[in-house]
Amino acid sequence: MTAAPQTPYLLGLLPERDATRYLTTSVLQGVERLPRLAIDKACTPLENEPRWEAGPVRELIDEAMDRFDDRATQADAWLAPRLHAMLRMNRQEAADSRRWNFLALRLAPDYVFWRNPPKVSKSSLVPQAHRAHFVGSFHKQTFSRLWWAAELFRNGSDYGPVEVACGNQESFNTVLRLEIVCHQVTAQALIRLMQEGAVRKGRSLNGLAKAINSAGSTLLFDVLAPDPPWDGRANDQWVKDAASAFVQYDALPEGPDDGSVTSQDVDALLPLFRELFATADIRGGKPSEGE
């Protein structure tokens, strides 16, 4: 495994042009290390406030690798809610890819290699890590995908649905990038179907998500089951309380209490989603119960 770099005091911003420049073929193949000093010069440290301290984030990442060792894919469900609760930011801040570039190239490149080890591909016979896991779209970049999965699948302060979503890799590979999960009730309806076992595995979830996405838009589903009002003040306060926040390793943290979906909201969409699932084009044929 790639050695962990020395932990900086603060998190920072690493521009994509610099991040891409340092991700050479030799680095992606694990032959060379990332140039830490050069990366430090290219980075802009964030403000000196508790939520941007790098030490706790690095400790959290180390804990994930220790806990899951040779079960890297299972780390997602554990790490996503805790990373979200520790990196207390709003969506505008999270949309800044420079933050995620910093985590992947400066703070924890060893985690990226551990979670997504180099593989042989059509373009390279030598095992090589995928560049998009370091610098890529929000649903592929190693740390960004975890934060956004937690943001879009949490139900207000409850991170329980995040564990369900992140336990299925299709939630990242297909569902996370679709506009429909920006609608809270739709996201929670998908979680309900996963909990019931109807779309527990990859092919069925993939087929249902595509069917829902083709059937309508977030505006249509919002008419059938409106999202709860968003409490911006509660969200802002949650961010401001970062200094007193403590993220437990053995219990789920609490997210911002900025609006929750009720069971009645989900029930309003479930009949439609079940009908869509019954007629969905599932790759490889219609799955059996629970696939």
Side-chain angles (χ1 to χ4, degrees):
M1 182 188 299
T2 303
Q6 181 181 4
T7 302
Y9 177 64
L10 293 172
L11 300 177
L13 305 175
L14 176 61
E16 185 169 339
R17 64 178 182 276
D18 294 308
T20 302
R21 177 156 53 96
Y22 299 134
L23 284 174
T24 64
T25 299
S26 295
V27 167
L28 293 172
Q29 291 176 348
V31 177
E32 295 180 358
R33 292 186 180 183
L34 284 161
R36 181 175 63 82
L37 294 179
I39 290 175
D40 281 343
K41 291 181 180 179
C43 291
T44 302
L46 291 170
E47 299 86 353
N48 189 0
E49 53 181 276
R51 66 184 179 131
W52 302 133
E53 291 181 5
V57 182
R58 179 68 235 195
E59 291 172 4
L60 180 69
I61 291 169
D62 286 337
E63 180 69 19
M65 290 191 287
D66 288 342
R67 283 185 176 233
F68 296 94
D69 193 17
D70 59 350
R71 300 171 292 130
T73 59
Q74 296 181 30
D76 291 345
W78 184 88
L79 184 55
R82 290 166 177 83
L83 184 69
H84 185 275
M86 185 169 287
L87 290 177
R88 298 203 170 191
M89 62 178 89
N90 56 46
R91 291 190 178 187
Q92 183 177 3
E93 291 171 328
D96 187 346
S97 62
R98 296 176 299 171
R99 300 173 192 272
W100 308 118
N101 296 341
F102 182 91
L103 261 66
L105 275 80
R106 178 59 183 88
L107 184 68
D110 54 319
Y111 181 87
V112 182
F113 279 108
W114 173 80
R115 177 59 184 81
N116 304 284
K119 296 180 180 179
V120 173
S121 65
K122 293 180 180 179
S123 59
S124 176
L125 297 178
V126 179
Q128 180 172 312
H130 201 298
R131 189 180 303 271
H133 295 313
F134 288 90
V135 179
S137 56
F138 80 97
H139 62 278
K140 288 186 177 181
Q141 205 272 354
T142 298
F143 296 108
S144 174
R145 69 199 282 267
L146 295 175
W147 193 96
W148 281 103
E151 175 67 8
L152 295 174
F153 284 106
R154 67 180 174 86
N155 190 15
S157 62
D158 181 12
Y159 283 118
V162 179
E163 289 188 309
V164 178
C166 294
N168 188 319
Q169 291 303 301
E170 288 294 334
S171 301
F172 292 126
N173 300 335
T174 299
V175 180
L176 188 58
R177 65 185 177 184
L178 298 178
E179 182 187 0
I180 55 172
V181 294
C182 293
H183 182 236
Q184 284 181 267
V185 185
T186 295
Q188 295 308 311
L190 285 171
I191 294 296
R192 175 84 70 82
L193 290 171
M194 292 168 68
Q195 289 175 318
E196 292 176 353
V199 291
R200 188 171 52 222
K201 296 185 179 179
R203 286 190 296 125
S204 54
L205 179 58
N206 188 38
L208 174 61
K210 289 182 177 179
I212 293 173
N213 201 58
S214 298
S217 66
T218 54
L219 292 176
L220 170 62
F221 298 134
D222 198 47
V223 171
L224 297 174
D227 266 345
W230 182 67
D231 188 345
R233 289 180 297 179
N235 192 280
D236 290 343
Q237 188 60 50
W238 181 77
V239 172
K240 291 177 181 178
D241 288 343
S244 59
F246 176 71
V247 176
Q248 298 185 52
Y249 290 169
D250 295 315
L252 278 178
E254 290 189 2
D257 191 13
D258 53 3
S260 300
V261 172
T262 67
S263 295
Q264 290 76 15
D265 295 329
V266 173
D267 289 341
L269 285 184
L270 282 181
L272 172 61
F273 287 2
R274 288 195 176 104
E275 181 180 351
L276 288 172
F277 181 59
T279 58
D281 180 16
I282 306 297
R283 187 183 69 243
K286 184 59 99 178
S288 60
E289 183 81 16
E291 282 190 14

